[in-house]
Amino acid sequence: MTILTLLLQFLDALGIKTAIFIAGLAGGLTSLHKKSKLKWWQRFLSIFGGGFTANYLTPMVAEWINFSENAHYGLAFMLGYGGLTGVEMLWLRLNRKIEKTVEEDQE
């Protein structure tokens, strides 16, 4: 077994889908043009934040908005580009959905 194979297996065990993660990294990297005043470590975290955001949220968002599997990479790029802003928007929307469900259950 090669080192690359072992690395890919390790990443897969962590739930990291390599192609989706890379699309998110690319989105995070692209978003740096609007963040010119960041320090190097903030840029690094922004790029990897985009990768992790895309990796873990793409399947959920794709199912939520009924995107085909062919659209996952573009969605991953957009989630990586949006990074934590996208996470905040999804969090607010999820909270509204939960609150609505709780209100309906209480009626």
Side-chain angles (χ1 to χ4, degrees):
M1 227 180 251
T2 67
I3 292 175
L4 180 58
T5 304
L6 290 172
L7 176 62
L8 292 175
Q9 288 176 347
F10 174 72
L11 293 174
D12 190 51
L14 294 176
I16 295 175
K17 307 291 185 223
T18 311
I20 296 292
F21 186 72
I22 291 171
L25 289 174
L29 180 65
T30 304
S31 75
L32 291 181
H33 81 280
K34 63 181 182 176
K35 304 174 183 175
S36 61
K37 296 184 180 185
L38 296 179
K39 295 179 171 74
W40 72 268
W41 58 271
Q42 291 171 313
R43 289 174 180 263
F44 178 81
L45 290 176
S46 181
I47 294 168
F48 273 87
F52 285 113
T53 298
N55 184 75
Y56 293 114
L57 292 183
T58 295
M60 181 185 79
V61 173
E63 186 168 323
W64 197 358
I65 58 180
N66 201 25
F67 269 25
S68 72
E69 187 137 349
N70 291 335
H72 283 202
Y73 301 119
L75 179 59
F77 180 87
M78 289 188 301
L79 286 169
Y81 184 86
L84 293 179
T85 303
V87 172
E88 289 173 22
M89 288 174 30
L90 289 170
W91 180 253
L92 292 172
R93 187 163 182 167
L94 182 61
N95 278 332
R96 282 194 303 263
K97 188 173 188 174
I98 291 170
E99 288 171 1
K100 184 178 178 185
T101 303
V102 169
E103 289 173 3
E104 290 172 354
D105 288 345
Q106 290 175 349
E107 292 177 353

